[in-house]
Amino acid sequence: MTDDRMALLELIEKRADADLVREMLGFAAERLMETEVQVRTGAAHGVRDPGRQVQRNGYRGRAWDTRVGRIDLEIPRLRRGSYLPSFLEPRRTAEKALTAVIQEAYIHGVSTRAVDDLVKALGASGVSKSEVSRLVAEIDGRVNAFLARPLEGEWPYVWIDATYVKAREGGRIVSTATIIAVGVNTDGRREVLGVATGASEAEVFWKGFLRSLADRGLRGVRLVIADDHKGLRAAASKVFHAGLQRCRVHWMRSALAHVPAKQRPAVVAMLKTIFAQETAADARGQWDSVADALRERAPRLAELMDEARDDVLAYTAFPREHWPQIASTNPIERLNGEIKRRTDVVGIFPNAAAIIRLVGALMLEQNDEWAVGRRYMTLEGLAAFSDAPQVRLPAMAV
């Protein structure tokens, strides 16, 4: 009899209560993961094999919600590439959150015609308030735990962006800003740090949001990358003593509004020469040269360039290899696109809590995908921000 079967029989004989099925399922999941990872690596765990294709790199924890209860998994990590067990459903939480939001809007009579049609097409028109409440509570528990988790280590770069959705508030429909914060830690890993809704132009909102991140442990922030939100600069400086990088892409779009359409291709070409420079000094010098060249034919643009230089070129004070990622909010544009795709299905949210429920579930799943993916930035490039010394092995003599 194999060791695996012996262990399973011992487990069955040891406990014959309500937890038995859950423990058996957890045991099976563990064996399945080990089998799948062995196929990926080309060798059994702990065995030295010249045919090994990739090394293992510890484990990461993840809760697995099943019909018999929650099972805490220890998912193997790989040094190269990613691994997600075949029995997990990556999009399950977000799909359930979307369903919960739609049903909540429907039973409270605040849904749009499109949502009504969708509910009827799904055959869910008979859903009860108690069923929706149960589903909402289940999703909120996971999402709130994710958004309130402690943030460990240092996070030199933080990207913040806003997406606007419609929600009901006090009997009227308002446009609500949904804020997403994403950070990179000194291990080179990306994580979703927080989600919030509010008036994105108010300094008091920004300060409250950033302080909530700081209270959870966010520290070591050197640069916040965002659009030109009023109040965010002052809040970032007060809470984290960090600089603000104004999104280069958004700045160019707003700047070109002050240029006649026929002249825009030429002006774009001139502006791009600034961002093609290799050093901070060269970029600032080229910025001033372009601004001077535009003073006669585009005086308003030249004036805006004088005002925005330090904001748009703040990224040049950081390591050169990070410039493509920290010059704009492009790294989180895909997240905004995914949010819009899901929120457009709802149309009008019944309340702000429903926004957090859906967006938070999407961000939770994105965070899981990043956890098993490759590093966003290299350890070498982040060495200057890390408290841990970089250990380099001596070169081997040939």
Side-chain angles (χ1 to χ4, degrees), residues 199-209 230-232 234-235 238:
S200 67
E201 299 300 320
E203 180 181 343
V204 63
F205 165 76
W206 287 116
K207 188 181 295 184
F209 178 55
K230 296 177 182 178
L232 179 55
K238 291 176 182 177

Side-chain angles (χ1 to χ4, degrees), residues 72-152:
D72 293 323
L73 299 176
E74 289 293 321
I75 301 176
R77 297 174 62 174
L78 306 179
R79 291 191 181 277
R80 185 176 67 253
S82 61
Y83 166 67
L84 184 70
S86 59
F87 55 84
L88 292 184
E89 302 177 35
R91 289 292 171 189
R92 183 180 179 187
T93 303
E95 297 300 341
K96 289 172 69 175
L98 179 58
T99 301
V101 170
I102 291 173
Q103 290 179 346
E104 184 180 19
Y106 180 78
I107 65 171
H108 288 294
V110 296
S111 57
T112 63
R113 182 182 297 275
V115 169
D116 289 345
D117 293 341
L118 180 58
V119 169
K120 292 172 183 176
L122 292 172
S125 57
V127 65
S128 68
K129 288 187 178 182
S130 61
E131 289 175 318
V132 173
S133 296
R134 180 188 58 77
L135 182 57
V136 164
E138 177 187 344
I139 299 300
D140 285 351
R142 292 197 61 189
V143 169
N144 292 338
F146 167 66
L147 296 179
R149 73 193 189 282
L151 300 173
E152 301 177 350

Side-chain angles (χ1 to χ4, degrees), residues 22 60 69 75 77 83 89 103 115 131 160 223 227 244 254 257 263 265 268 300 310 337 351 365 385 392:
R22 184 168 61 251
R60 67 181 183 91
I75 301 176
R77 297 174 62 174
Y83 166 67
E89 302 177 35
Q103 290 179 346
V115 169
E131 289 175 318
I160 297 177
L223 187 67
D227 201 1
L244 181 70
S254 56
Q263 297 182 20
V268 168
R300 179 54 182 155
D310 291 342
N351 47 54
E365 290 173 350
F385 304 127
R392 296 184 180 275

Side-chain angles (χ1 to χ4, degrees), residues 348-366:
I348 301 171
F349 283 78
N351 47 54
I355 300 175
I356 296 295
R357 184 174 307 122
L358 178 55
V359 175
L362 288 170
M363 296 303 99
L364 186 157
E365 290 173 350
Q366 180 60 71

Side-chain angles (χ1 to χ4, degrees), residues 11-13 15-25:
L11 180 63
I12 294 173
E13 293 172 356
R15 300 196 60 181
D17 54 20
D19 294 334
L20 175 62
V21 176
R22 184 168 61 251
E23 294 189 17
M24 290 176 64
L25 186 57

Side-chain angles (χ1 to χ4, degrees), residues 163 332-344:
T163 298
I332 58 175
E333 285 299 319
R334 191 182 72 81
L335 295 184
N336 282 334
E338 185 68 12
I339 290 171
K340 290 298 291 182
R341 186 172 73 84
R342 302 301 183 93
T343 56
D344 285 348

Side-chain angles (χ1 to χ4, degrees), residues 243-254:
L244 181 70
Q245 165 64 39
R246 184 173 176 181
C247 176
R248 186 175 74 186
V249 175
H250 290 166
W251 176 82
M252 284 189 66
R253 288 175 186 167
S254 56

Side-chain angles (χ1 to χ4, degrees), residues 393-398:
L393 297 177
M396 296 180 62
V398 181

